[in-house]
Amino acid sequence: LMVAFYLTLWATGMSVEEATRLGWINQTVETPSWVHTWDFLQMDKVVWRVLPSQTFTIIAMISVVALSSSLDIAAIEIEMKRPLDYNHELTTVGFSNIVSGLTGGYTGSYIFSQTIFSLRMGIRSRAMGYVIAAVSLVTVVLPFNVLAFIPNFFFGSLLMMICLDLMFEWLIDVREKVTPAEYVVVIMTFCLLQVLGVEFGIVAGICLYVVIDKLGFDVGKEVTTEEEDDVMAAMNNY
């Protein structure tokens, strides 16, 4: 897409400056050197007295990150068709977030979409992770904003592709992989998220799961002996 975009600019005689003025490319903003990043980390500017009023938001944020990390691992598990060690993976995410927080970064988890795309391309080497880390590091230390040269529609099309792929996988394709009761929880949780927002939607989805489980419906907790043997065999092979 980017090659086609710049070829179109060249063919039409439109300059990058004109494309930027028309909104095809973001305005270039002068960014400070990466070595001054921590100059903005000023703890004395924090208004601590408002922290108690944000208690629910903080708890909700922790819950969202923990839940989303679990869902990321589950998504990778489904794609790899073998079980992963949840404790090990969540511990990795936890330590990464601690390091990120102490150095002024944001919370985060696995880029499971990148992992799944790599798996579908047949990439199984850990070198992929090192390449992504190296490219990210180079992007940070470069003296100019790389994103200023990427057309806006590229971000939009990428988000739409990821959105459609996730919705198809988790709302349609997952139907054959879960019990009917589980599928009801999935659909209803999705609807609750749209109506109530992320924090309250997740809480409502968990409550719905508990209610359906207490009513005696199969929500996927029952594992047969044969399934247990398959999981143990897969773990041993791993």
PDB file of all heavy atoms in Angstrom, residues 4-16 18-19 22 24:
ATOM      1  N   ALA A   4       2.416   1.767  -3.435  1.00  0.00           N
ATOM      2  CA  ALA A   4       1.383   2.232  -4.365  1.00  0.00           C
ATOM      3  C   ALA A   4       1.036   3.695  -4.105  1.00  0.00           C
ATOM      4  O   ALA A   4       0.817   4.474  -5.048  1.00  0.00           O
ATOM      5  CB  ALA A   4       0.131   1.358  -4.244  1.00  0.00           C
ATOM      6  N   PHE A   5       0.997   4.088  -2.836  1.00  0.00           N
ATOM      7  CA  PHE A   5       0.672   5.467  -2.487  1.00  0.00           C
ATOM      8  C   PHE A   5       1.715   6.438  -3.033  1.00  0.00           C
ATOM      9  O   PHE A   5       1.376   7.441  -3.686  1.00  0.00           O
ATOM     10  CB  PHE A   5       0.576   5.602  -0.965  1.00  0.00           C
ATOM     11  CG  PHE A   5       0.401   7.015  -0.485  1.00  0.00           C
ATOM     12  CD1 PHE A   5      -0.817   7.662  -0.629  1.00  0.00           C
ATOM     13  CD2 PHE A   5       1.462   7.693   0.112  1.00  0.00           C
ATOM     14  CE1 PHE A   5      -0.982   8.967  -0.174  1.00  0.00           C
ATOM     15  CE2 PHE A   5       1.298   8.998   0.552  1.00  0.00           C
ATOM     16  CZ  PHE A   5       0.080   9.633   0.409  1.00  0.00           C
ATOM     17  N   TYR A   6       2.984   6.139  -2.795  1.00  0.00           N
ATOM     18  CA  TYR A   6       4.031   7.056  -3.243  1.00  0.00           C
ATOM     19  C   TYR A   6       4.208   7.012  -4.758  1.00  0.00           C
ATOM     20  O   TYR A   6       4.586   8.024  -5.375  1.00  0.00           O
ATOM     21  CB  TYR A   6       5.338   6.755  -2.521  1.00  0.00           C
ATOM     22  CG  TYR A   6       5.378   7.336  -1.126  1.00  0.00           C
ATOM     23  CD1 TYR A   6       5.131   6.546  -0.008  1.00  0.00           C
ATOM     24  CD2 TYR A   6       5.611   8.693  -0.930  1.00  0.00           C
ATOM     25  CE1 TYR A   6       5.140   7.095   1.269  1.00  0.00           C
ATOM     26  CE2 TYR A   6       5.623   9.244   0.348  1.00  0.00           C
ATOM     27  CZ  TYR A   6       5.384   8.440   1.440  1.00  0.00           C
ATOM     28  OH  TYR A   6       5.379   8.981   2.701  1.00  0.00           O
ATOM     29  N   LEU A   7       3.926   5.876  -5.370  1.00  0.00           N
ATOM     30  CA  LEU A   7       3.936   5.825  -6.831  1.00  0.00           C
ATOM     31  C   LEU A   7       2.814   6.692  -7.404  1.00  0.00           C
ATOM     32  O   LEU A   7       3.000   7.368  -8.430  1.00  0.00           O
ATOM     33  CB  LEU A   7       3.774   4.377  -7.307  1.00  0.00           C
ATOM     34  CG  LEU A   7       5.015   3.485  -7.197  1.00  0.00           C
ATOM     35  CD1 LEU A   7       4.679   2.054  -7.618  1.00  0.00           C
ATOM     36  CD2 LEU A   7       6.152   4.037  -8.049  1.00  0.00           C
ATOM     37  N   THR A   8       1.672   6.696  -6.727  1.00  0.00           N
ATOM     38  CA  THR A   8       0.552   7.540  -7.156  1.00  0.00           C
ATOM     39  C   THR A   8       0.906   9.016  -7.018  1.00  0.00           C
ATOM     40  O   THR A   8       0.585   9.833  -7.898  1.00  0.00           O
ATOM     41  CB  THR A   8      -0.712   7.219  -6.329  1.00  0.00           C
ATOM     42  OG1 THR A   8      -1.032   5.833  -6.479  1.00  0.00           O
ATOM     43  CG2 THR A   8      -1.890   8.066  -6.792  1.00  0.00           C
ATOM     44  N   LEU A   9       1.583   9.373  -5.920  1.00  0.00           N
ATOM     45  CA  LEU A   9       2.033  10.753  -5.749  1.00  0.00           C
ATOM     46  C   LEU A   9       2.975  11.158  -6.873  1.00  0.00           C
ATOM     47  O   LEU A   9       2.868  12.255  -7.437  1.00  0.00           O
ATOM     48  CB  LEU A   9       2.739  10.927  -4.403  1.00  0.00           C
ATOM     49  CG  LEU A   9       1.893  10.855  -3.124  1.00  0.00           C
ATOM     50  CD1 LEU A   9       2.761  11.186  -1.912  1.00  0.00           C
ATOM     51  CD2 LEU A   9       0.713  11.795  -3.190  1.00  0.00           C
ATOM     52  N   TRP A  10       3.906  10.269  -7.201  1.00  0.00           N
ATOM     53  CA  TRP A  10       4.870  10.557  -8.257  1.00  0.00           C
ATOM     54  C   TRP A  10       4.188  10.684  -9.614  1.00  0.00           C
ATOM     55  O   TRP A  10       4.500  11.586 -10.404  1.00  0.00           O
ATOM     56  CB  TRP A  10       5.911   9.446  -8.292  1.00  0.00           C
ATOM     57  CG  TRP A  10       6.886   9.575  -9.435  1.00  0.00           C
ATOM     58  CD1 TRP A  10       7.945  10.434  -9.542  1.00  0.00           C
ATOM     59  CD2 TRP A  10       6.855   8.821 -10.657  1.00  0.00           C
ATOM     60  NE1 TRP A  10       8.588  10.260 -10.742  1.00  0.00           N
ATOM     61  CE2 TRP A  10       7.939   9.271 -11.453  1.00  0.00           C
ATOM     62  CE3 TRP A  10       6.035   7.805 -11.151  1.00  0.00           C
ATOM     63  CZ2 TRP A  10       8.200   8.744 -12.700  1.00  0.00           C
ATOM     64  CZ3 TRP A  10       6.293   7.282 -12.401  1.00  0.00           C
ATOM     65  CH2 TRP A  10       7.363   7.737 -13.168  1.00  0.00           C
ATOM     66  N   ALA A  11       3.218   9.779  -9.869  1.00  0.00           N
ATOM     67  CA  ALA A  11       2.533   9.794 -11.163  1.00  0.00           C
ATOM     68  C   ALA A  11       1.663  11.036 -11.338  1.00  0.00           C
ATOM     69  O   ALA A  11       1.508  11.552 -12.452  1.00  0.00           O
ATOM     70  CB  ALA A  11       1.678   8.534 -11.320  1.00  0.00           C
ATOM     71  N   THR A  12       1.085  11.512 -10.248  1.00  0.00           N
ATOM     72  CA  THR A  12       0.199  12.681 -10.325  1.00  0.00           C
ATOM     73  C   THR A  12       0.946  13.989 -10.126  1.00  0.00           C
ATOM     74  O   THR A  12       0.352  15.072 -10.245  1.00  0.00           O
ATOM     75  CB  THR A  12      -0.917  12.579  -9.265  1.00  0.00           C
ATOM     76  OG1 THR A  12      -0.323  12.456  -7.968  1.00  0.00           O
ATOM     77  CG2 THR A  12      -1.798  11.368  -9.541  1.00  0.00           C
ATOM     78  N   GLY A  13       2.239  13.896  -9.800  1.00  0.00           N
ATOM     79  CA  GLY A  13       3.026  15.106  -9.603  1.00  0.00           C
ATOM     80  C   GLY A  13       2.744  15.807  -8.288  1.00  0.00           C
ATOM     81  O   GLY A  13       3.098  16.990  -8.116  1.00  0.00           O
ATOM     82  N   MET A  14       2.126  15.135  -7.354  1.00  0.00           N
ATOM     83  CA  MET A  14       1.809  15.741  -6.054  1.00  0.00           C
ATOM     84  C   MET A  14       2.994  15.567  -5.114  1.00  0.00           C
ATOM     85  O   MET A  14       3.560  14.490  -4.993  1.00  0.00           O
ATOM     86  CB  MET A  14       0.566  15.086  -5.451  1.00  0.00           C
ATOM     87  CG  MET A  14       0.140  15.697  -4.110  1.00  0.00           C
ATOM     88  SD  MET A  14      -1.293  14.860  -3.373  1.00  0.00           S
ATOM     89  CE  MET A  14      -2.548  15.204  -4.604  1.00  0.00           C
ATOM     90  N   SER A  15       3.372  16.632  -4.454  1.00  0.00           N
ATOM     91  CA  SER A  15       4.480  16.581  -3.506  1.00  0.00           C
ATOM     92  C   SER A  15       4.013  16.041  -2.159  1.00  0.00           C
ATOM     93  O   SER A  15       2.818  16.012  -1.868  1.00  0.00           O
ATOM     94  CB  SER A  15       5.071  17.983  -3.319  1.00  0.00           C
ATOM     95  OG  SER A  15       4.112  18.829  -2.705  1.00  0.00           O
ATOM     96  N   VAL A  16       4.994  15.626  -1.342  1.00  0.00           N
ATOM     97  CA  VAL A  16       4.670  15.130  -0.011  1.00  0.00           C
ATOM     98  C   VAL A  16       4.058  16.244   0.827  1.00  0.00           C
ATOM     99  O   VAL A  16       3.132  16.008   1.624  1.00  0.00           O
ATOM    100  CB  VAL A  16       5.939  14.569   0.676  1.00  0.00           C
ATOM    101  CG1 VAL A  16       5.645  14.172   2.107  1.00  0.00           C
ATOM    102  CG2 VAL A  16       6.486  13.371  -0.100  1.00  0.00           C
ATOM    103  N   GLU A  18       2.208  18.729  -0.227  1.00  0.00           N
ATOM    104  CA  GLU A  18       0.818  18.931  -0.634  1.00  0.00           C
ATOM    105  C   GLU A  18      -0.067  17.810  -0.114  1.00  0.00           C
ATOM    106  O   GLU A  18      -1.198  18.049   0.339  1.00  0.00           O
ATOM    107  CB  GLU A  18       0.719  19.011  -2.158  1.00  0.00           C
ATOM    108  CG  GLU A  18      -0.675  19.370  -2.659  1.00  0.00           C
ATOM    109  CD  GLU A  18      -0.726  19.530  -4.164  1.00  0.00           C
ATOM    110  OE1 GLU A  18       0.331  19.391  -4.813  1.00  0.00           O
ATOM    111  OE2 GLU A  18      -1.823  19.777  -4.680  1.00  0.00           O
ATOM    112  N   ALA A  19       0.448  16.566  -0.159  1.00  0.00           N
ATOM    113  CA  ALA A  19      -0.317  15.435   0.377  1.00  0.00           C
ATOM    114  C   ALA A  19      -0.550  15.603   1.868  1.00  0.00           C
ATOM    115  O   ALA A  19      -1.621  15.268   2.387  1.00  0.00           O
ATOM    116  CB  ALA A  19       0.425  14.130   0.095  1.00  0.00           C
ATOM    117  N   LEU A  22      -3.293  18.181   2.408  1.00  0.00           N
ATOM    118  CA  LEU A  22      -4.612  17.637   2.093  1.00  0.00           C
ATOM    119  C   LEU A  22      -5.065  16.566   3.082  1.00  0.00           C
ATOM    120  O   LEU A  22      -6.177  16.055   2.971  1.00  0.00           O
ATOM    121  CB  LEU A  22      -4.615  17.067   0.668  1.00  0.00           C
ATOM    122  CG  LEU A  22      -4.428  18.095  -0.460  1.00  0.00           C
ATOM    123  CD1 LEU A  22      -4.322  17.393  -1.807  1.00  0.00           C
ATOM    124  CD2 LEU A  22      -5.580  19.100  -0.468  1.00  0.00           C
ATOM    125  N   TRP A  24      -3.551  13.517   3.672  1.00  0.00           N
ATOM    126  CA  TRP A  24      -3.188  12.139   3.366  1.00  0.00           C
ATOM    127  C   TRP A  24      -2.084  11.632   4.280  1.00  0.00           C
ATOM    128  O   TRP A  24      -1.976  10.444   4.551  1.00  0.00           O
ATOM    129  CB  TRP A  24      -2.729  12.015   1.910  1.00  0.00           C
ATOM    130  CG  TRP A  24      -3.841  12.164   0.917  1.00  0.00           C
ATOM    131  CD1 TRP A  24      -4.146  13.269   0.183  1.00  0.00           C
ATOM    132  CD2 TRP A  24      -4.817  11.178   0.574  1.00  0.00           C
ATOM    133  NE1 TRP A  24      -5.253  13.037  -0.605  1.00  0.00           N
ATOM    134  CE2 TRP A  24      -5.688  11.751  -0.382  1.00  0.00           C
ATOM    135  CE3 TRP A  24      -5.053   9.869   0.994  1.00  0.00           C
ATOM    136  CZ2 TRP A  24      -6.756  11.063  -0.935  1.00  0.00           C
ATOM    137  CZ3 TRP A  24      -6.112   9.173   0.442  1.00  0.00           C
ATOM    138  CH2 TRP A  24      -6.942   9.761  -0.512  1.00  0.00           C
TER     139      TRP A  24
END
